[in-house]
């Protein structure tokens, strides 16, 4: 059971379009909209599992009070589904004795009664939950719950496909950048080397003519500067998709944090981003997201700095805020512990301590594999 004939055909058309998206977040936005479009329920939302132990509701349709709600594991109907991994529903939310009532205020504001929630899962990857709700007393039959689950299952599959496509695109772009770097080395780099050598030779021959010699020194300096700029561009072009992934993810997380909270967030890259396996990048970025979430919830900070740097054999990402300090963050949930556990699985760890100027510093580190022996500095000096 599930979507009917017309709804099923419409869903398949929408799903084909969703698979062409480039942003997993847009997949979940479109899927939440499909709940209202295809099931007849007036309210929907997507609960994204951004940390280990809580969801954030977003892309809500027709229920402004739900947007931005934080749903801890086990709390309310959504938290119950997240904990159990099974679909569930209530006919009258505030009267139900099968759930906690952390969110009665928002439910009453929106006059919601019936609600159904299904998990969004692909293999062992949990993305969160999909909500559908009604302002009437609603006994959800198997057909509606199955339709919600069908949308959720397809959303999970589409999100994985979109992520894989994006990684494939990034890899193709990285390969093209490497090709351009080699082409620059073989053409522009070789030409600059030849020009530089010729200028140096002329300088030796014309040392007795001061005016000409001075102009030749200027040309030699300009050629050297051009060689340095070319080497810098070639190093950037030679970065792999794995090198691009971490810095890109950190930059996006800082931007999202600032847009969400209004708190200034800066990313400082104090070293070249090394090539890291996908699991390591995932562990580091999740730790940074959890640290930023703690700042948002507890620190009352006016600014946050995310710094990436190296120590012997380690890559370190530090999240430093100027907030209230450790005492204010002792109420933080299990998210940082889960982040530390995830880092430990890739050989890393997480440390939390006071900042140099107040506030809190969270450092996530991972082992850094030895750099490749081949150099990207291909232009002769």
């Amino acid at each position: 059971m599930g979507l009917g004939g017309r709804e099923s055909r419409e869903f398949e058309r929408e799903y084909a379009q969703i698979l062409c998206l480039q942003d997993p977040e847009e997949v979940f936005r479109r899927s939440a909209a499909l709940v209202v479009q295809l099931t007849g329920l007036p309210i929907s939302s997507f609960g994204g599992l951004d940390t280990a132990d809580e969801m954030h509701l977003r892309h809500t349709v027709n229920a402004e009070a739900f947007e931005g709600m934080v749903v801890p594991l086990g709390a309310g109907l959504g938290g119950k589904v997240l904990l159990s991994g099974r679909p569930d529903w209530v006919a009258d939310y505030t009267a139900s004795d099968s759930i906690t009532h952390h969110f009665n205020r928002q439910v009453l504001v929106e006059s919601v009664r019936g609600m159904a929630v299904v998990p969004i899962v692909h293999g062992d990857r949990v993305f969160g939950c999909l909500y559908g709700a009604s302002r009437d007393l609603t006994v959800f039959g198997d057909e509606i719950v199955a339709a919600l689950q069908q949308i959720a299952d397809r959303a999970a599959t589409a999100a994985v496909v979109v992520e894989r496509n994006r990684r494939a695109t990034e890899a193709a772009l990285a390969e093209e950048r490497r090709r351009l770097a080699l082409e620059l080395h073989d053409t522009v780099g070789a030409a600059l080397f030849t020009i530089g050598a010729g200028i140096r030779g002329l300088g030796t021959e014309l040392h007795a003519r001061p005016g000409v010699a001075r102009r030749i020194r200027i040309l030699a300096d300009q050629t050297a500067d051009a060689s340095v700029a070319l080497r810098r561009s070639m190093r950037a072009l030679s970065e792999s998709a794995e090198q691009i992934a971490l810095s890109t993810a950190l930059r996006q997380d800082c931007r999202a944090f600032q847009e969400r909270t209004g708190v200034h967030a800066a990313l400082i890259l104090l070293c070249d981003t090394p090539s890291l396996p996908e699991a390591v990048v995932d562990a580091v970025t999740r730790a940074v997201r959890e640290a930023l979430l703690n700042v948002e919830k507890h620190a009352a900070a006016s600014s946050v700095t995310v710094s990436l740097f190296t120590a012997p054999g380690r890559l370190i990402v530090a999240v430093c805020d100027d907030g209230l300090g450790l005492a204010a963050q002792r109420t933080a949930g299990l998210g940082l512990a889960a982040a530390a556990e995830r880092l430990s699985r890739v050989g890393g760890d997480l440390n939390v301590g006071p900042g140099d100027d107040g506030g809190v510093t969270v450092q996530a580190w991972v082992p850094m594999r030895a750099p490749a022996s081949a150099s990207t500095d291909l232009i002769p000096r």
Side-chain angles (χ1 to χ4, degrees):
M1 299 178 67
L3 297 170
R6 181 185 65 79
E7 291 84 0
S8 181
R9 289 191 296 274
E10 189 173 351
F11 175 57
E12 293 299 334
R13 285 194 298 270
E14 288 285 338
Y15 182 64
Q17 294 178 8
I18 286 173
L19 285 173
C20 296
L21 297 172
Q22 295 296 314
D23 181 5
E25 194 64 24
E26 181 65 11
V27 169
F28 298 121
R29 187 193 70 78
R30 295 277 288 271
S31 298
L34 277 175
V35 171
V36 172
Q37 183 178 337
L38 300 180
T39 68
L41 295 172
I43 297 168
S44 66
S45 189
F46 162 67
L49 187 64
D50 295 332
T51 64
D53 56 356
E54 60 187 24
M55 294 186 295
H56 286 70
L57 264 60
R58 50 189 185 266
H59 310 313
T60 305
V61 181
N62 297 327
E64 291 183 4
F66 288 2
E67 185 69 10
M69 272 174 41
V70 178
V71 181
L73 199 66
L77 181 61
K80 179 184 178 183
V81 169
L82 185 63
L83 185 62
S84 70
R86 297 189 298 272
D88 205 349
W89 60 269
V90 293
D92 191 347
Y93 192 99
T94 58
S96 174
D97 59 3
S98 66
I99 59 172
T100 72
H101 290 277
H102 290 69
F103 311 109
N104 277 7
R105 181 181 65 81
Q106 293 92 334
V107 167
L108 289 171
V109 165
E110 295 294 345
S111 301
V112 165
R113 299 189 71 183
M115 181 182 292
V117 181
V118 298
I120 305 176
V121 180
H122 186 277
D124 59 357
R125 177 93 179 266
V126 180
F127 290 96
C129 293
L130 191 63
Y131 288 68
S134 169
R135 293 186 170 91
D136 298 317
L137 182 71
T138 306
V139 177
F140 289 87
D142 291 342
E143 185 172 347
I144 291 293
V145 174
L148 279 172
Q149 191 64 70
Q150 186 177 357
I151 296 172
D153 290 346
R154 291 294 188 92
T157 302
V160 170
V161 170
V162 168
E163 286 181 348
R164 288 174 179 168
N165 288 343
R166 186 168 63 182
R167 285 197 296 270
T169 300
E170 289 172 350
L173 287 172
E175 182 58 35
E176 177 63 12
R177 288 153 63 111
R178 283 192 290 271
R179 186 193 66 77
L180 288 172
L182 289 172
E183 185 175 322
L184 284 171
H185 165 258
D186 293 339
T187 56
V188 180
L192 284 173
F193 176 75
T194 302
I195 292 169
I199 289 173
R200 287 190 294 273
L202 282 173
T204 301
E205 295 174 17
L206 299 173
H207 68 278
R209 301 175 62 180
V212 175
R214 183 178 60 80
R215 292 177 61 188
I216 288 175
R217 283 196 301 273
I218 293 172
L219 288 172
D221 291 342
Q222 291 174 340
T223 304
D225 290 343
S227 295
V228 170
L230 182 59
R231 282 195 295 271
R232 188 180 302 117
S233 298
M234 288 172 59
R235 280 194 292 270
L237 285 170
S238 298
E239 285 186 340
S240 67
E242 290 83 0
Q243 289 173 299
I244 297 167
L246 180 57
S247 59
T248 299
L250 295 178
R251 189 170 288 107
Q252 289 174 342
D253 288 338
C254 286
R255 185 184 302 117
F257 172 85
Q258 183 167 312
E259 291 175 352
R260 187 171 68 246
T261 66
V263 176
H264 178 68
L267 173 64
I268 301 175
L269 302 177
L270 299 174
C271 64
D272 292 333
T273 310
S275 179
L276 298 169
E278 183 180 342
V280 175
V281 172
D282 182 66
V284 172
T285 53
R286 284 172 179 259
V288 170
R289 288 171 193 162
E290 185 61 42
L292 289 172
L293 183 63
N294 270 357
V295 174
E296 178 181 350
K297 292 166 62 177
H298 305 291
S302 60
S303 67
V304 181
T305 301
V306 179
S307 306
L308 185 145
F309 55 96
T310 58
R314 295 180 176 184
L315 178 75
I316 302 171
V317 181
V319 180
C320 305
D321 68 73
D322 62 355
L324 300 176
L326 281 174
Q329 297 199 26
R330 292 195 188 281
T331 57
L334 300 175
L336 285 178
E341 181 182 349
R342 192 178 294 110
L343 286 165
S344 71
R345 290 199 290 268
V346 294
D349 201 357
L350 184 140
N351 302 305
V352 182
D356 292 337
D357 300 314
V360 174
T361 295
V362 177
Q363 286 194 352
W365 68 266
V366 290
M368 194 164 54
R369 61 192 184 191
S373 57
S375 173
T376 58
D377 195 0
L378 301 173
I379 301 174
R381 297 183 183 277

